[in-house]
Amino acid sequence: MRCIITILGLSNSANARYICNDTEILNLLPNLKENNSINTFTLLNLCKGYDIIPLYTKDSKIANLKALSKANINCDNAFDKARQIDDVGDFVEIFNIINEIIKDYNEVIVDVSHGFRHLPMLVLTQLIITNLQNSRKICAILFAKELEQGKSYEIINLKEYLDLANISYLLSTFDDNYTVANHIPIGTKYKELFSALKGFSNNIMALNIKELFSSFASRLITELDSNLLANPAIYDYANELKEKISNLQKIYNAKPAYEFYYHLAPL
């Protein structure tokens, strides 16, 4: 079962041009290649194969029914699976609604292009929690980036930031005890970094020190360097771990084996 969760705003005034060049999104939703629409809700209603689940207030429902009518889209079933937000300040209830929806589907796309104040942030927080448990469930996070105010937008995918949250957690736990949190799913972009962490962990736990510093330490440092440059968001985690591994390598090269183990123990 697949769904698109979309947060409804109040826009219903005029057509805008939406452009999507993201291959991952277009593989899921080919109708988003390029379309004129009033907002992303009307645009998403052109997509097939997904349950469309709007999150709405009373005012936003009225506005979006008008938008569907202006776009000549049949709105008879547009709100069949919708969930109303009665109190936008009831964070617990909003979290419960989002969690219930996500649990009912195998694949979820979320549109946070519109919405009222803090709701998109609450949705993203719930997605981070879900992604730590099962990264395969969240297929995409759509956001309409404004190119020209009220006239043109580019639909981009924010899902990579969920992967950054996962890798940050992975690096943090590894830094504490040199073990890899196997239950944390990692996207293909970080496959080599995950493999380097795993190799280092296996060898240090087995006290295979010679192999560790002849191969695995330098490989891990290389992967950390690569991700330092590519992702400022995880710079602190990666840089701190890189410095620790580099210091261990210096101690190993300079000290007799028994002294190395002495210095390794508190780390």
Side-chain angles (χ1 to χ4, degrees):
M1 295 176 65
R2 305 189 297 177
C3 77
I4 301 174
I5 302 171
T6 179
I7 306 168
L8 301 190
L10 298 175
S11 174
N12 70 358
S13 57
N15 283 11
R17 182 167 175 255
Y18 288 83
I19 302 166
C20 182
N21 296 313
D22 187 289
T23 303
E24 187 174 3
I25 294 176
L26 292 175
N27 286 337
L28 297 167
L29 303 170
N31 288 61
L32 297 187
K33 178 61 180 175
E34 184 171 339
N35 272 289
N36 291 329
S37 195
I38 292 171
N39 55 31
T40 54
F41 181 53
T42 55
L43 191 58
L44 291 170
N45 270 275
L46 301 175
C47 299
K48 308 298 182 184
Y50 292 84
D51 289 343
I52 308 297
I53 305 179
L55 302 181
Y56 70 92
T57 60
K58 290 181 180 179
D59 289 341
S60 66
K61 181 177 181 178
I62 293 170
N64 280 272
L65 283 172
K66 291 179 180 178
L68 291 174
S69 178
K70 287 180 181 179
N72 295 316
I73 296 173
N74 189 322
C75 58
D76 291 346
N77 302 314
F79 284 82
D80 283 357
K81 296 183 180 295
R83 300 294 298 268
Q84 180 171 332
I85 306 297
D86 294 313
D87 180 2
V88 294
D90 189 346
F91 290 6
V92 174
E93 180 59 22
I94 292 171
F95 271 121
N96 285 338
I97 290 172
I98 299 164
N99 192 45
E100 286 172 8
I101 296 170
I102 291 175
K103 283 167 58 176
D104 286 343
Y105 288 86
N106 300 321
E107 298 179 18
V108 178
I109 295 173
V110 181
D111 170 38
V112 293
S113 299
H114 304 295
F116 22 92
R117 297 197 305 273
H118 48 268
L119 184 54
M121 295 303 298
L122 292 176
V123 172
L124 289 171
T125 301
Q126 180 63 56
L127 293 182
I128 291 171
I129 296 169
T130 301
N131 196 61
L132 284 170
Q133 301 168 333
N134 182 2
S135 66
R136 294 177 182 87
K137 175 168 282 199
I138 310 302
C139 300
I141 304 173
L142 309 181
F143 180 73
K145 184 175 74 172
E146 190 173 67
L147 302 178
E148 185 178 358
Q149 186 174 8
K151 294 183 178 180
S152 63
Y153 300 85
E154 179 185 6
I155 298 177
I156 60 174
N157 193 354
L158 301 181
K159 187 178 185 300
E160 67 176 288
Y161 296 101
L162 296 186
D163 293 333
L164 282 176
N166 280 10
I167 201 68
S168 296
Y169 179 81
L170 189 73
L171 291 173
S172 177
T173 55
F174 185 89
D175 189 44
D176 287 338
N177 52 31
Y178 298 118
T179 59
V180 177
N182 289 312
H183 67 288
I184 301 299
I186 299 299
T188 54
K189 185 175 181 179
Y190 300 102
K191 183 178 179 180
E192 291 303 317
L193 176 58
F194 180 83
S195 176
L197 289 167
K198 189 75 173 173
F200 188 96
S201 176
N202 289 344
N203 279 274
I204 200 169
M205 292 303 164
L207 294 180
N208 189 6
I209 304 303
K210 183 177 180 181
E211 184 71 15
L212 180 71
F213 288 105
S214 65
S215 175
F216 289 94
S218 58
R219 179 190 173 197
L220 178 54
I221 289 172
T222 298
E223 287 299 325
L224 289 169
D225 268 337
S226 174
N227 284 279
L228 279 174
L229 295 173
N231 298 296
I234 59 172
Y235 177 88
D236 289 340
Y237 289 113
N239 191 52
E240 184 175 339
L241 182 56
K242 175 193 169 185
E243 289 181 359
K244 183 177 285 190
I245 302 302
S246 298
N247 288 336
L248 278 178
Q249 194 160 34
K250 290 176 183 176
I251 294 170
Y252 173 75
N253 292 335
K255 303 288 185 181
Y258 71 89
E259 287 193 40
F260 170 76
Y261 287 118
Y262 175 79
H263 286 281
L264 176 63
L267 299 175

